[in-house]
Amino acid sequence: MKLAISIAGQTLDSPFDARFGRAASFCLVDTDSGAWTVHANPGLSASGGAGVQAAQFVAGLGAQAVVSGAYGPKAYDTLAAANIQRLLAPGDAACRAADILAAFQAGPLAEADGATHGGHHGG
Amino acid sequence: MRIVVASGKGGTGKTTVSTSLAQVATERDAVRFLDCDVEAPNAALFLHPVLDSQREVGIRVPRVDADACTYCGRCAEVCQFHAIAVVGQKTLVFDDLCHGCGSCAWMCPEQAISETLSVTGVIDSGTTPEGIAFAQGVMNVGQTMGVPILRELKKWTPARLPEAPGAPRRALEILDAPPGASCPVVETLRGADLVLLVTEPTPFGLHDLKQVVAIARELGIPAGVVINRDGIGDDAVGAWCAESGLPILLRIPMERRIAEAIAGGRTLVDAAPEYRPGFRDLLERLVAGVNP
Amino acid sequence: MKQLVILSGKGGTGKTSVTAAFAHLAAQGPFAGRVLLADADVDAANLELVLQPRRLDTQPFRGGQVAVIDEDRCLICGDCESACRFDAIVETDGRWVIDPIACDGCAACVYQCPTESIRMQEQRVGECRLSDSRYGPLHHAHLHPGQENSGKLVTQVRQRARQQALDEERRLVIVDGPPGIGCPVIAAVSGADLALLVTEPTVSGIHDLRRALGTVQHFGVPALVCINKADVYPKGARDIETFCEANGIAMVGSIPFDPSIASALVAGEAVTAYRPEAPASLALSALWERLVSVLVEPPTRQDDGFAEPITDNLNQPGTFQ
C-alpha cells in the first residue's frame, strides 16, 4: 500500500515532522516494494486552510494511509472523506521517516480517532 | 459628511468622544451614528438607543448539489482559501474558511453550486432619545471575520432621519471605529471625509496613533487629534503631532469624577456639561475642514 | 510547558502593563530563567515599548495575495469590477485599478477576466521579530498599517515562541493578547493553558468581558478574571464579582487605579520594577502569586474553578442581570 509520512526534508532519512498541515513535505512509500518519493507540501505556504490543502494533495498522490503526529479538524475530515487512514506516530521522540516506516511494518500504529487539536487560525 | 473616530490603541476614549460628539451635533444636525467595533460594540451603553430592528448578516457560502456534482475539482482549484476540498467522490465545504467571494459557484462547469447566507452577526438599529439614528454591528462569539458585517453596517440607512423644525439641517455621520490598525479599521475609514484620532499621552498611545495616521494618509483622509486623559504620562504625543502637522483639536484632562461617570454609563457631555462648548467648537472645526 | 494568555475584550484595560509586570515577576520565583514572552497584539505591539528589548532577528511576514491588473492587456471591459464582492476594483482616469487595501485576495477577478490580464501577487505585510529582553526572549511582530491577516501573524508569533520554549525546555510562555474577540484573539487563545482576562469596572469593560469569556470558553481554555482600576467605579467592580461568582469563574485579583502605571510606561519599565511599593505593584504581585499556584497545579475541568460556557445573550448590550 502507499503510505505518506509527514517529514521535514527530502529523503527517507529526513526527520519526521509531527505536524500534518504545516509539514515541509511528504515521503510517499510503497510499503510492499520499499520504493519512495518525496513531495513538497503545498499547504506549507497557504495563508489559511493548510490542512485541507495538504490532505487533498496527499489524496491526489494516491496515499491510502498517512502517519503524522497531529491532525487539525479540517485535515482530519478531508482525509476521512478520502478514505485515507490517519495514523499516529509512536511516541513523539525525534526520529526519521525510515524509523516511522519500520514501526509501521512492525505492527499496527494507533489510528487518530479525531482531530488532535483545535486547528490554527489565520486570515 | 462622514466623520470616523479612531485611535489605534484600545481604551483611549473613542466611544467617549464619538458619543459626546453625536449628542452635541444633534442639537443642530441630523445625525446618523454607526458603532463599527463589531467585536466589542459599546456605544449603545452610552447613547441608549431603542433598538427596534435587527437583521442577520454574514457571508454567502457555497452548497454543493451532490446529484449534479461530477467531482471535477474546479471549485477547490479556484478557492484561494481552501474552503472547498474535493476528494474522491466527495466535496467538502468548510464555512469558516470561506470568504464568500463566489468564485466556486461561478466557475463550476455543472452549475452544481448555489450560495446560502452563513450568519456571522447582526445589525441592530433604532433611534436614541435625542433623535440620533443609531446602528451597530455585532459579531457572533466564535466568528473570525468582522469585515463583512462592517461592510453591511455601512450600507445601513435609517427609514427616515428625524425631522427638525426650522432650517434644513446638515446630515452628519459619526462612525465609532474598532481599535487596532488592520483590516477592520481600514474598512471603517474607507469613504470617510475626515478622521478624528483619540489618543492618550503615553508611549502606547503615541505608537498606536502613528499606525492609524499612516492608514489615514494612505487613504488621503484629513485627520485631527483629541488627547484624552491629558496630564498622565508625558507630552510626546503633542510634540509628535506638532512635528507631523496634525492639529490637536481638543484636550480632555484626566479627572477622576469624569472617569467615574463614564464607567457608570454616562456620556462625557452629560456628566460634565462644561465640555459642551468644547465639543461644539470641535464639531465646527471638523465640518469647516481640518487642515492637515 | 504552560501558555498563559492575557486578554480583555475591551481595549485599554491594561493588558500590556499587566503582562510587563508578570514578565518582571516571573523572572523571579519558580519560573526564573525559564520564561518566554510573546506579544500577540500585532496591530498595536506595545510590549516592546515597556521592555525595550534588543532585536536579535527579523523575518519578513508574507500575508495573502492581492490582484494586479496588467494595463497593457486590459480591455477595460469591467468584468472584474462586477465579479468583485469587496469593492476593490475602482475606476480611475477611465481605467480599472485594484485597491490593494480593499482586495481580499480571492482571485474572483482573475477567473472572470476575458484577456487573462490579472494576476495575483504576494504581499509583504509585516515582520516577525525575536528580541532579547531583560526578562527573557520576546517574540513579537509588526503588521504594516492597514494590512490584513493579523490572525495568521499572531499564529506565527505563537508558533515561534512555542517552538523556542520546547527547544530550550522553558516552562512558561506569557502571551500579551489583542483586544476584541475576532480572528487575532482566537489565534492568540487557541491551545493556551490558561487565560487571564483583565477587565475594568465600566459598563463597556463588563459588556466586553462577557463576550471575551464566551470566546475563551468556546475554544475550551480555562479563564480567570482580574479587575484593573477597580476603585474607579466600585459598583461596577461589585457587578463583575457577582457575575463571576454566579458563573463559577474565579476572580483572582483587583488592581487599584494608580498613576504609577502611566509613569512606569513613560519610564519604559514594568510598574512592579519601577515602583515596587506602589499600590498597583503590590496588587500585581499578589495576583501573580495566585496565578503561579494555578499554573503550577492547575485545577481540573471538573473543579469548580472553571465554569460552564456562558451562552445566554452574549450579543445583547447592557450590564449584568
Side-chain angles (χ1 to χ4, degrees), chain C:
Chain C
M1 190 261 296
K2 302 281 182 194
Q3 298 190 62
L4 166 69
V5 58
I6 318 297
L7 292 173
S8 69
K10 176 167 162 36
T13 59
K15 282 182 298 296
T16 302
S17 292
V18 168
T19 306
F22 288 172
H24 165 242
L25 295 167
Q28 310 141 31
F31 296 110
R34 315 283 290 277
V35 180
L36 197 143
L37 308 166
D39 189 346
D41 188 0
V42 298
D43 286 27
N46 288 342
L47 195 54
E48 70 170 319
L49 300 176
V50 195
L51 300 178
Q52 305 191 340
R54 188 169 53 91
R55 187 81 52 85
L56 298 176
D57 179 48
T58 301
Q59 298 285 333
F61 170 71
R62 292 187 178 82
Q65 299 185 317
V66 294
V68 181
I69 298 177
D70 179 348
E71 276 198 26
D72 296 336
R73 298 173 67 176
C74 174
L75 300 177
I76 324 185
C77 68
D79 284 2
C80 52
E81 196 273 332
S82 35
C84 180
R85 291 185 178 175
F86 305 95
D87 305 327
I89 301 183
V90 286
E91 201 176 352
T92 311
D93 302 329
R95 304 206 68 94
W96 294 107
V97 176
I98 304 215
D99 173 353
I101 290 183
C103 178
D104 191 62
C106 70
C109 55
V110 172
Y111 300 117
Q112 296 301 315
C113 177
T115 59
E116 298 182 1
S117 306
I118 310 181
R119 65 191 165 84
M120 300 303 289
Q121 192 172 56
E122 198 168 64
Q123 289 248 297
R124 185 180 156 162
V125 301
E127 49 190 48
C128 267
R129 298 167 173 174
L130 169 62
S131 299
D132 186 28
S133 85
R134 52 191 176 274
Y135 305 131
L138 169 66
H139 284 269
H140 51 143
H142 175 76
L143 188 72
H144 296 325
Q147 291 296 345
E148 59 180 326
N149 264 309
S150 60
K152 186 189 168 195
L153 184 52
V154 170
T155 298
Q156 199 160 107
V157 166
R158 280 198 57 210
Q159 279 176 350
R160 286 162 55 106
R162 182 174 172 276
Q163 195 56 52
Q164 189 184 359
L166 290 173
D167 291 348
E168 299 177 359
E169 297 188 345
R170 289 181 183 268
R171 292 185 54 208
L172 178 64
V173 180
I174 304 178
V175 182
D176 188 10
I181 62 164
C183 186
V185 173
I186 291 168
V189 78
S190 58
D193 298 284
L194 183 65
L196 175 70
L197 287 104
V198 181
T199 186
E200 59 179 32
T202 64
V203 289
S204 309
I206 297 166
H207 174 251
D208 298 346
L209 170 67
R210 283 178 68 120
R211 286 170 60 80
L213 272 171
T215 306
V216 168
Q217 291 173 339
H218 184 92
F219 290 93
V221 176
L224 304 170
V225 169
C226 78
I227 307 178
N228 193 11
K229 305 174 209 167
D231 53 336
V232 167
Y233 185 54
K235 181 188 173 296
R238 282 195 301 277
D239 286 349
I240 295 172
E241 281 166 24
T242 310
F243 166 77
C244 287
E245 207 167 301
N247 289 280
I249 294 155
M251 268 273 314
V252 286
S254 287
I255 306 160
F257 174 78
D258 187 342
S260 301
I261 290 187
S263 314
L265 269 188
V266 172
E269 245 308 358
V271 67
T272 45
Y274 177 72
R275 270 183 207 153
E277 299 308 315
S281 300
L282 296 175
L284 280 161
S285 300
L287 172 57
W288 177 246
E289 289 299 309
R290 267 174 236 134
L291 281 178
V292 168
S293 62
V294 174
L295 285 165
V296 170
E297 204 173 328
T300 59
R301 298 285 297 175
Q302 286 74 39
D303 267 12
D304 56 11
F306 298 120
E308 290 300 304
I310 306 164
T311 49
D312 64 307
N313 276 342
L314 282 168
N315 292 335
Q316 294 304 312
T319 48
F320 303 124
Q321 271 70 59

Side-chain angles (χ1 to χ4, degrees), chain B residues 133-204:
Chain B
F134 181 99
Q136 64 178 8
V138 186
M139 187 171 89
N140 291 344
V141 166
Q143 290 292 333
T144 58
M145 283 183 275
V147 173
I149 300 169
L150 202 39
R151 223 178 263 127
E152 286 301 313
L153 175 65
K154 284 172 71 184
K155 290 182 197 151
W156 174 78
T157 38
R160 61 176 181 84
L161 279 172
E163 289 296 322
R169 303 191 300 168
R170 295 179 299 196
L172 285 185
E173 274 181 18
I174 297 173
L175 275 60
D176 193 5
S182 60
C183 32
V185 177
V186 176
E187 182 57 37
T188 308
L189 281 168
R190 287 181 90 206
D193 295 298
L194 43 96
V195 56
L196 190 58
L197 300 168
V198 184
T199 188
E200 61 176 37
T202 65
F204 291 0

Side-chain angles (χ1 to χ4, degrees), chain A residues 31-112:
Chain A
T31 53
D32 303 320
S33 70
W36 55 267
T37 47
V38 169
H39 307 265
N41 173 15
L44 188 60
S45 59
S47 73
V52 178
Q53 200 180 9
Q56 280 194 102
F57 180 70
V58 167
L61 292 175
Q64 289 141 297
V66 177
V67 188
S68 191
Y71 300 95
K74 299 187 183 78
Y76 186 89
D77 289 351
T78 308
L79 290 169
N83 287 320
I84 296 173
Q85 261 193 308
R86 299 150 309 276
L87 303 173
L88 292 170
D92 56 0
C95 61
R96 301 166 309 136
D99 302 327
I100 299 283
L101 177 62
F104 174 83
Q105 280 167 333
L109 293 178
E111 275 193 58

